Amino acid sequence: VALARALVHEPDLLLADEPTGNLDEVTAAQVAPLLCRLARERGATLVMVTHDRALAGSLDRCLTLHDGQLLEEGRQAVAEGGAAAGQIGSAAAPG
């Protein structure tokens, strides 16, 4: 229901904070690709925050917050940040 509510107005930006965190593995494996596909089809940008490294790594771009620095997969710091650790992934619309 929450997913349907988020998509009903076809927003340009989808923010997903731990979208698979409370789901069983089978459902989580269906929801994440669905979110990415729907964002692409609608020309929207999806920003997903997760602690699931496999999920974050499956997205188009993956940023990691580590020791107060925002890092892009194996690259130098992107920006100074807070102290929490986690991944931020995005699936951007083509073009």
Side-chain angles (χ1 to χ4, degrees):
V1 173
L3 184 56
R5 281 189 199 143
L7 297 171
V8 72
H9 295 290
E10 297 190 12
D12 293 331
L13 175 64
L14 294 168
L15 301 175
D17 183 8
E18 295 284 356
T20 60
N22 292 322
L23 302 176
D24 60 87
E25 287 184 35
V26 173
T27 305
Q30 296 169 349
V31 168
L34 175 65
L35 277 172
C36 293
R37 183 176 57 84
L38 291 172
R40 283 192 179 98
E41 287 175 0
R42 290 171 164 72
T45 298
L46 170 63
V47 177
M48 190 179 304
V49 179
T50 183
H51 286 88
D52 183 337
R53 290 185 184 271
L55 174 57
S58 72
L59 300 172
D60 296 337
R61 184 174 182 201
C62 181
L63 303 174
T64 301
L65 189 58
H66 182 72
D67 290 337
Q69 291 190 327
L70 191 58
L71 307 170
E72 185 164 3
E73 279 187 44
R75 297 191 180 116
Q76 293 181 339
V78 175
E80 296 296 320
Q87 284 81 33
I88 302 170
S90 67

